[in-house]
Amino acid sequence: MKVASRVKRGSLESTVQGLFISAPYPGDQKFFGQPTGLLYALSVLADRKLQKTSSKEIVSVEMPVWAPAGVTDFSNSKLKEELTDYITEHRPKVVGISTFSASYQNALAIKDLVKKIAPETLVVFGGAHEDNFVKHYRKNDRIDADLVVAGDGSHLLDAVYSIVESNPHATVEEIKQNIYSRREELESLPGTGLLLLETKTGIESITTNAAEHKRLRKQTLLGALPIMPRYLLQNEDEVSSGFDIFQNPKEENLKTAQVMVGQGCPYACAFCSEGIGTVWYDDDAPNAREPRRSIEHLEKELQELKQEGYEAIFFDDSTFFAKPKKYLAEVLDLLAKYEFRWG
């Protein structure tokens, strides 16, 4: 994995170096493609920094996203060597790790490596595994990282990063104290995010949109978020052409964007993590409805993707075909209009 070189910084008052990683699958369980959940989680933060710097290049250097392929043995992997070099040279203040259950052991190994090299780096866990692990953490009264962000965390992650920016030389414990001292501010944020952190008395939880009754809390609409910041991906073209779902007549992989028109699932089945039901949380489970994006918002994204050389669209929705037929027909019309292959 090639690492972007440093560029001249923008006009941020306090620049914090970050690094965000989609934890790789183990062994032959290789996932090729874009980490849509992680990129959406970073959308509010990336947009705020982009407004200040007016440069996607600067933002992509200050908070790069790594999406490595699977590794058989992290301890002897090239990824470990690259990550060691990066942490040693750049000393990021924040490392965010998004993980599925299948990749959790690699997430823990990455965390341990980061802490060994840079103990005062704040390590934040998120992703599908964390959504499903909230009850487990609470039962055991401990978490596996400095912070855990679960659920709809775009605004929450931005606020946490802003707190770190306000005092970039703070220790991890001081950062956690600062976060907890601003609990009311975080609880007023939109969405259905949940932040877990350990204190001297045990695990504390901070939920966004906390003033609403637990069953009235609504997740942030994807259409209300900035368009997914794919420019954060290191080696974006390589990552976007890494799997063979779509190919040209020469059997070359097409540059493929992963897109979502809805988030979660409207059914909330107890056996499935996609509904984010109370089986995973306690009394702060978010509403599991699946509001879809407007056609206008989707078209804006498709226009950008066409300009950036994308040729195919892979829909990452949990229940893509559960949308109304009229809405799906409009989506298909857009795909035809911009000549995207899709699946």
Side-chain angles (χ1 to χ4, degrees):
M1 177 182 294
K2 297 178 180 178
V3 180
S5 60
R6 291 187 180 274
V7 296
K8 185 177 180 181
R9 299 286 185 178
S11 57
L12 288 173
E13 293 179 4
S14 297
T15 298
V16 167
Q17 181 66 46
L19 173 65
F20 296 88
I21 305 171
S22 178
Y25 279 43
D28 294 331
Q29 299 184 61
K30 299 182 187 299
F31 172 78
F32 297 102
Q34 301 171 340
T36 50
L38 176 57
L39 290 172
Y40 265 124
L42 294 172
S43 62
V44 175
L45 169 59
D47 187 65
R48 173 171 65 82
K49 293 173 80 70
L50 183 60
Q51 296 301 317
K52 291 185 177 182
T53 64
S54 300
S55 170
K56 290 182 178 180
E57 183 183 9
I58 290 176
V59 178
S60 68
V61 170
E62 292 181 351
M63 46 178 294
V65 171
W66 290 16
V71 295
T72 302
D73 178 9
F74 178 79
S75 63
N76 294 305
S77 67
K78 183 178 180 182
L79 173 61
K80 181 182 178 182
E81 294 178 6
E82 293 172 340
L83 188 57
T84 298
D85 291 343
Y86 186 91
I87 300 297
T88 301
E89 178 182 355
H90 297 275
R91 294 280 168 169
K93 189 62 181 177
V94 178
V95 171
I97 304 172
S98 178
T99 181
F100 290 96
S101 295
S103 57
Y104 197 63
Q105 292 305 311
N106 282 331
L108 292 173
I110 291 171
K111 182 221 37 178
D112 290 342
L113 178 64
V114 171
K115 285 296 189 180
K116 179 179 179 181
I117 300 171
E120 291 305 327
T121 291
L122 184 76
V123 177
V124 183
F125 274 9
H129 182 274
E130 303 310 287
D131 292 343
N132 301 343
F133 229 48
V134 172
K135 273 192 173 181
H136 173 84
Y137 284 141
R138 286 171 168 165
K139 180 180 178 181
N140 289 277
D141 206 27
R142 62 177 298 273
I143 58 178
D144 292 334
D146 296 314
L147 303 176
V148 167
V149 175
D152 171 14
S154 302
H155 291 281
L156 188 54
L157 188 56
D158 175 50
V160 167
Y161 209 91
S162 180
I163 291 171
V164 177
E165 288 176 323
S166 69
N167 186 4
H169 301 296
T171 66
V172 168
E173 287 304 313
E174 288 171 341
I175 292 171
K176 291 198 293 184
Q177 291 171 12
N178 291 340
I179 290 171
Y180 195 68
S181 70
R182 294 170 66 172
R183 177 174 189 150
E184 290 187 4
E185 177 185 335
L186 298 178
E187 289 178 338
S188 69
L189 294 171
T192 55
L194 173 66
L195 177 70
L196 299 179
L197 70 163
E198 286 186 41
T199 67
K200 293 180 180 180
T201 58
I203 285 184
E204 295 288 347
S205 303
I206 298 175
T207 58
T208 61
N209 205 8
E212 291 286 353
H213 184 274
K214 62 183 180 181
R215 290 304 180 192
L216 297 178
R217 295 174 67 226
K218 294 182 180 180
Q219 66 193 72
T220 305
L221 297 175
L222 291 183
L225 294 174
I227 289 174
M228 188 189 305
R230 295 176 179 85
Y231 60 87
L232 298 179
L233 282 169
Q234 297 296 283
N235 309 313
E236 179 185 354
D237 287 347
E238 179 183 336
V239 171
S240 304
S241 304
F243 56 123
D244 57 4
I245 296 177
F246 307 105
Q247 293 185 324
N248 61 24
K250 296 181 180 179
E251 297 187 348
E252 298 168 331
N253 295 345
L254 300 183
K255 186 176 180 181
T256 301
Q258 286 161 255
V259 174
M260 297 177 69
V261 295
Q263 187 176 30
C265 174
Y267 303 116
C269 301
F271 60 81
C272 178
S273 65
E274 294 293 350
I276 319 179
T278 53
V279 65
W280 305 121
Y281 289 76
D282 289 309
D283 60 356
D284 52 2
N287 192 314
R289 293 177 183 171
E290 185 200 23
R292 57 190 181 274
R293 294 167 62 186
S294 70
I295 290 296
E296 293 75 19
H297 192 268
L298 176 60
E299 182 167 19
K300 181 180 178 182
E301 181 171 14
L302 294 182
Q303 289 173 338
E304 290 189 9
L305 291 172
K306 198 68 177 179
Q307 293 171 357
E308 293 165 3
Y310 282 90
E311 303 166 280
I313 303 295
F314 180 83
F315 287 103
D316 250 352
D317 294 53
S318 303
T319 52
F320 179 76
F321 290 106
K323 313 293 187 300
K325 292 182 178 179
K326 182 177 183 297
Y327 179 82
L328 288 177
E330 292 176 320
V331 172
L332 296 182
D333 287 342
L334 280 183
L335 295 169
K337 176 180 178 180
Y338 293 101
E339 300 180 336
F340 282 113
R341 292 178 57 185
W342 69 278

